[in-house]
Amino acid sequence: MNQLDKKSQAWSALFSEPMSELVKRYTASVFFDKRLWQADIQGSLAHAGMLAAQGIIAPEDLTAIEKGMAQIAQEISSGRFEWKLDLEDVHLNIEARLTQLAGDAGKRLHTGRSRNDQVATDIRLWLRDEIDLVSALLDDLQKALLEMADRNVEVILPGFTHLQVAQPVSFGHHMLAYVEMFSRDAERMADVRRRVNLLPLGAAALAGTSYPLDREMVARSLGMDGVCQNSLDAVSDRDFAIEFAAAASLAMVHLSRLSEELILWMSQNFGFIEIADRFTTGSSIMPQKKNPDVPELARGKTGRVVGHLMGLITLMKGQPLAYNKDNQEDKEPLFDTVDTLKDTLRIFTEMVGGITVKPEAMEKAALKGYATATDLADYLVKKGLPFRDAHETVARAVKAAMSQQVGLAELPLAVLKQFNVAIENDVYNVLSLRGSMNARSTLGGTAPGQVRAQVARHRARLAQRP
Ligand code: ARG
């Protein structure tokens, strides 16, 4: 039996009794961290290549390690690899198998390395690649929203504040608000990536190592942007994972806000949209129901991802330097955050493409809420009234219209004139939903010209991304 196989009994000659079964289960991570196997092998090969280049191991050792790792990769991807709880984690499992296959060369792999810098490297490699997938999915979702925006520039939606009808806005404009949010999420991912993509290897257990390692070479061969500059920090901090979870939480919060709107809009009370049947579910008792399960679940899963952020940040707070086993707890929340975010982004991209917009219902709702009252006030300001007085005048007009259960535009000119003599026939254009929307032409406003300019800007921006 080699040293690693004996681990179930004791770590080394130092221990006088085997680890209890309960402790073995409690401390093992292999059943979740085996997910890091590709990064683990990738990191080991880079390390071994450097050891050979530096003359720390022989070229034959490197060849044997490479051959063994190729077979291990084969075994794992085909499901034939036997993961052993006794070997605690992904690192020891792979190393033990390598030693079976490559003999002493396998035992030399761990020269100048510790599991502490190994695991930190593995998570960073894994997370870097996942960030790239998340970023691509964020782009896909933005593109789907952009198409939706472009098709609906002229569709009028009641814009809300306090969920009360406020002012008419272009439905395209509303969609572009989400494009802005998700573009910031993508920027945050790119920013986090810069700090994730640095190499801990070479920090060894905590203090660095006495072997003449070339850390820059390892970083280069792993496509990393540089090396961590302090060995204690390199093995112990997981702030990059926390940052990622924070960026992921914000993206989920944005998805959750969109979910909430979709749920409201497809309810009978709004009736603004329909989402494709494949994204809804029926009720086992009420035959008339189509429930928005997908957006509801996305809203629910947002709580779960925010929970992971809280878990990760709390994990870090009491830890003295340097590595502590606490850090093994970083993996499950991180994995679940990535899985949840990617699934939600994928499903939303598809779902957005399958939304049917109902412009008449939106317009009808906008007409109900005196959405152009501000326009009447602005009209009076242009006739010379101070804004506060205009505001008060319009409030009286709205009150009168409400008591007759009509819209402002349905009041005859003679009635409107009672509120202010300066009101003329041209007021009816101002009071129309379209007139109101078209008038809001400040940069970033809802006037169709502005919305089209923003669509073009986002298109050009997204076309530049690989
Ligand atoms: N499974 C461990 C983790 O995830 C690997 C590092 C273990 N290092 C140690 N000194 N026990 O953090």
Side-chain angles (χ1 to χ4, degrees), residues 273-328:
I273 59 161
E274 269 172 27
I275 62 180
D277 280 358
R278 62 184 183 285
F279 297 102
T280 62
T281 56
S283 154
S284 55
I285 179 166
M286 296 167 284
Q288 84 282 15
K289 297 270 279 183
K290 257 190 211 173
N291 294 327
D293 284 22
V294 168
E296 284 172 356
L297 268 174
R299 197 175 53 186
K301 284 175 192 289
T302 302
R304 168 169 162 170
V305 170
V306 173
H308 293 325
L309 167 61
M310 293 305 123
L312 285 169
I313 201 164
T314 309
L315 178 65
M316 209 68 245
K317 72 175 270 296
Q319 288 194 50
L321 292 180
Y323 176 86
N324 301 280
K325 186 81 165 180
D326 309 41
N327 282 340
Q328 183 165 291

Side-chain angles (χ1 to χ4, degrees), residues 203-351:
L206 75 164
T209 172
S210 57
Y211 299 95
L213 304 188
D214 183 347
R215 300 187 62 210
E216 305 277 357
M217 174 186 172
V218 178
R220 271 195 308 278
S221 74
L222 291 171
M224 289 183 135
D225 300 326
V227 302
C228 300
Q229 299 286 328
N230 179 291
S231 60
L232 298 164
D233 177 50
V235 291
S236 67
D237 210 331
R238 295 292 181 267
D239 57 355
F240 63 90
I242 298 170
E243 264 191 81
F244 171 78
S249 293
L250 275 172
M252 286 299 294
V253 164
H254 292 149
L255 288 160
S256 187
R257 296 187 72 187
L258 179 54
S259 297
E260 173 67 8
E261 299 213 287
L262 297 179
I263 293 162
L264 287 173
W265 291 346
M266 71 176 276
S267 80
Q268 287 79 2
N269 302 323
F270 284 76
F272 290 178
I273 59 161
E274 269 172 27
I275 62 180
D277 280 358
R278 62 184 183 285
F279 297 102
T280 62
T281 56
S283 154
S284 55
I285 179 166
M286 296 167 284
Q288 84 282 15
K289 297 270 279 183
K290 257 190 211 173
N291 294 327
D293 284 22
V294 168
E296 284 172 356
L297 268 174
R299 197 175 53 186
K301 284 175 192 289
T302 302
R304 168 169 162 170
V305 170
V306 173
H308 293 325
L309 167 61
M310 293 305 123
L312 285 169
I313 201 164
T314 309
L315 178 65
M316 209 68 245
K317 72 175 270 296
Q319 288 194 50
L321 292 180
Y323 176 86
N324 301 280
K325 186 81 165 180
D326 309 41
N327 282 340
Q328 183 165 291
E329 286 291 306
D330 64 353
K331 289 170 199 63
E332 287 161 293
L334 202 52
F335 294 163
D336 190 65
T337 298
V338 163
D339 291 342
T340 307
L341 179 58
K342 285 198 310 191
D343 282 352
T344 310
L345 287 169
R346 270 192 205 109
I347 207 161
F348 264 66
T349 301
E350 242 190 276
M351 190 167 62

Side-chain angles (χ1 to χ4, degrees), residues 82-205:
E82 201 194 324
W83 297 100
K84 296 189 185 127
L85 182 79
D86 277 359
L87 290 170
E88 193 180 320
D89 58 23
V90 61
H91 323 293
L92 295 180
N93 268 269
I94 291 179
E95 195 186 328
R97 180 69 183 132
L98 181 69
T99 299
Q100 276 178 356
L101 294 170
D104 281 354
K107 293 189 199 167
R108 292 201 176 98
L109 171 64
H110 214 50
T111 312
R113 185 176 77 169
S114 149
R115 274 188 302 155
N116 297 351
D117 58 345
Q118 185 179 359
V119 70
T121 301
D122 290 6
I123 312 167
R124 284 171 182 265
L125 282 174
W126 175 84
L127 187 57
R128 174 192 70 188
D129 292 351
E130 292 296 333
I131 287 174
D132 291 342
L133 296 175
V134 165
S135 300
L137 291 172
L138 279 166
D139 283 359
D140 291 346
L141 177 57
Q142 288 177 70
K143 285 176 191 157
L145 288 164
L146 201 53
E147 288 319 303
M148 179 83 155
D150 194 27
R151 283 197 301 274
N152 293 284
V153 174
E154 298 284 350
V155 170
I156 295 176
L157 173 84
F160 296 95
T161 61
H162 316 272
L163 205 55
Q164 311 278 321
V165 172
Q167 291 172 353
V169 295
S170 148
F171 187 68
H173 191 55
H174 198 104
M175 290 294 107
L176 288 186
Y178 285 100
V179 175
E180 293 286 338
M181 294 178 228
F182 293 121
S183 76
R184 288 195 298 276
D185 291 327
E187 279 175 26
R188 269 185 281 273
M189 288 295 165
D191 191 47
V192 173
R193 191 190 193 279
R194 292 193 301 120
R195 284 178 290 279
V196 168
N197 199 27
L198 298 172
L199 182 78
L201 271 182

